[in-house]
Amino acid sequence: MTIYPSCYEADLPVQPSIGLVLAGGGAKGAYQAGALKYLAEIGFQPRIIAGTSIGALNGAVLASNSSFPRGVDLLNQLWDELGKAQILKPNAGAAITILSYVTLTAVPNFQGWAVKLLERTGLIPDGNTIFDPRPIEQLMRKAIDVRELRRGRELWITVFPSLNIPGFDYDLLMVGMDIIRAKLGTEAHWLCAGDFDDDDVLYDLLLASAAIPLAFPQRQVNGQHYIDGGLADNIPFGALAARGCTHAIVIHLDNGEIWNRQDFPGQAIIEIRPEQQLNSSGVPIWGSVSSVLNFTPQYVSDLKRRGYQDAKRCLEPILQTFGLLREQRQSHQSLLESTRALIEDPPL
């Protein structure tokens, strides 16, 4: 298994040259489905993909299909299903855990036996998360064939190594400590999907990348607990640069996201950014938070439409420039051939 921290520069042989980077952003990932539809229409074919959070899940759908256009079609269909399905279900375990704290004052051992018993028997999921993780896990297992994923395009998944202290739950305090660790420089890990032979471990890796702290539980992969990679590296172009990628398209999910492409002077990078913020509400702060969790059909459809339009807006001028250059080269070549024919033409 290969693990690269987010600042690592690997001395590896140059293999993939054209890459795709998919940023994280929860439900806003529908925007990437729309942008990818346009990319497929113009014949874009990435050899390597890196993704964080929902970008990793989108990338897994693409990488597990040998045909990139087919993968894009399936991804758009999946987002239509997400818009209709109740993917975010409140966690009954969280409610019972809260109730246990209230009851604890009267029955001191209540939490110690009742909640843990329900969790272990599977009647309720982990009581420390806001949402029930089972719906998204079931949908992911249905949408992504990990056997094909291992044989498909090279996919790098970004995860953050979270704290795990035996005897302590992963609660708000622990999340705060992980945020501080990320701010102080603890680096994300890039893990290659093709390095994992166990299906369940690979599914856990994908779920770990999208495990928004408190919203979804930590995932354990080969002895290490991981959460959402966006905590430290939401735009994992470094994974591609370490593999020798020279050209890439980055699809952002936030127009104001801080990311310095000058950190990679040797690569040609095209960025697709939302022309307007992808917030589902105009309320400050809340609009940004709610958009990450808004899987309604109307919002998903709007994001896909905007993704397609922004990709076209960003790339059409570049394609037109390439077209003009091609015409100029063809005209120049035609002129050279005509001149050569005149020079070689025998005199009358």
Side-chain angles (χ1 to χ4, degrees), residues 199-219:
D199 291 357
D200 290 332
V201 173
L202 185 48
Y203 279 125
D204 277 336
L205 175 60
L206 290 167
L207 288 167
S209 185
I212 301 172
L214 292 185
F216 295 104
Q218 296 170 299
R219 297 283 172 167

Side-chain angles (χ1 to χ4, degrees), residues 164-224:
N164 182 258
I165 303 175
F168 291 86
D169 291 328
Y170 192 70
D171 56 12
L172 186 59
L173 176 61
M174 298 280 277
V175 171
M177 293 174 66
D178 273 343
I179 292 174
I180 292 173
R181 290 173 61 236
K183 294 296 183 182
L184 291 177
T186 300
E187 297 166 334
H189 289 174
W190 304 320
L191 304 179
C192 184
D195 288 344
F196 292 84
D197 296 326
D198 187 284
D199 291 357
D200 290 332
V201 173
L202 185 48
Y203 279 125
D204 277 336
L205 175 60
L206 290 167
L207 288 167
S209 185
I212 301 172
L214 292 185
F216 295 104
Q218 296 170 299
R219 297 283 172 167
Q220 186 174 354
V221 178
N222 292 348
Q224 171 67 58

Side-chain angles (χ1 to χ4, degrees), residues 3-313:
I3 301 177
Y4 297 148
S6 57
C7 67
Y8 184 81
E9 293 184 2
D11 184 16
L12 295 172
V14 176
Q15 294 178 4
S17 59
I18 301 175
L20 173 66
V21 179
L22 301 173
K28 294 188 288 186
Y31 176 92
Q32 292 174 344
L36 288 163
K37 183 178 180 181
Y38 179 77
L39 291 180
E41 289 178 359
I42 63 174
F44 177 69
Q45 292 279 352
R47 290 188 178 182
I48 182 172
I49 302 172
T52 296
S53 194
I54 195 65
L57 300 186
N58 283 344
V61 174
L62 299 174
S64 59
N65 284 272
S66 57
S67 166
F68 185 73
R70 173 61 177 162
V72 171
D73 287 343
L74 290 175
L75 182 61
N76 276 268
Q77 293 173 23
L78 176 61
W79 274 100
D80 290 338
E81 292 180 24
L82 283 170
K84 298 173 184 176
Q86 189 179 354
I87 193 67
L88 296 180
K89 292 184 179 180
N91 188 353
I96 293 176
T97 299
I98 293 172
L99 178 62
S100 75
Y101 286 118
V102 176
T103 313
L104 189 61
T105 58
V107 186
N109 293 325
F110 177 83
Q111 186 187 17
W113 61 269
V115 175
K116 296 302 178 186
L117 175 62
L118 290 171
E119 289 178 357
R120 289 172 183 171
T121 55
L123 294 177
I124 64 171
D126 184 347
N128 297 311
T129 61
I130 299 171
F131 298 109
D132 184 343
R134 290 174 295 190
I136 189 170
E137 181 174 351
Q138 292 167 358
L139 183 64
M140 188 195 66
R141 286 178 175 269
K142 176 183 175 182
I144 301 170
D145 185 337
V146 290
R147 292 168 299 181
E148 294 298 325
L149 178 58
R150 282 191 286 267
R151 294 193 292 261
R153 285 179 173 80
E154 188 173 328
L155 173 67
W156 290 86
I157 301 163
T158 311
V159 287
F160 184 78
S162 65
L163 289 174
N164 182 258
I165 303 175
F168 291 86
D169 291 328
Y170 192 70
D171 56 12
L172 186 59
L173 176 61
M174 298 280 277
V175 171
M177 293 174 66
D178 273 343
I179 292 174
I180 292 173
R181 290 173 61 236
K183 294 296 183 182
L184 291 177
T186 300
E187 297 166 334
H189 289 174
W190 304 320
L191 304 179
C192 184
D195 288 344
F196 292 84
D197 296 326
D198 187 284
D199 291 357
D200 290 332
V201 173
L202 185 48
Y203 279 125
D204 277 336
L205 175 60
L206 290 167
L207 288 167
S209 185
I212 301 172
L214 292 185
F216 295 104
Q218 296 170 299
R219 297 283 172 167
Q220 186 174 354
V221 178
N222 292 348
Q224 171 67 58
H225 286 76
Y226 288 110
I227 54 174
D228 194 321
L231 214 60
D233 189 4
N234 202 43
I235 307 168
F237 180 80
L240 271 59
R243 293 289 291 135
C245 182
T246 55
H247 299 74
I249 291 180
V250 178
I251 305 181
H252 297 272
L253 295 179
D254 190 340
N255 194 29
E257 190 160 20
I258 298 174
W259 182 70
N260 189 2
R261 62 182 295 172
Q262 301 307 318
D263 290 340
F264 307 99
Q267 285 78 20
I269 304 171
I270 297 174
E271 299 181 76
I272 298 174
R273 289 183 178 270
E275 188 172 28
Q276 299 178 341
Q277 290 293 345
L278 301 182
N279 295 347
S280 58
S281 169
V283 180
I285 301 178
W286 170 248
S288 179
V289 173
S290 64
S291 62
V292 173
L293 303 174
N294 186 353
F295 288 90
T296 60
Q298 297 83 357
Y299 187 53
V300 167
S301 177
D302 181 58
L303 288 177
K304 288 170 61 177
R305 176 185 58 80
R306 292 168 63 181
Y308 184 93
Q309 291 176 346
D310 285 341
K312 185 176 182 179
R313 172 180 55 82

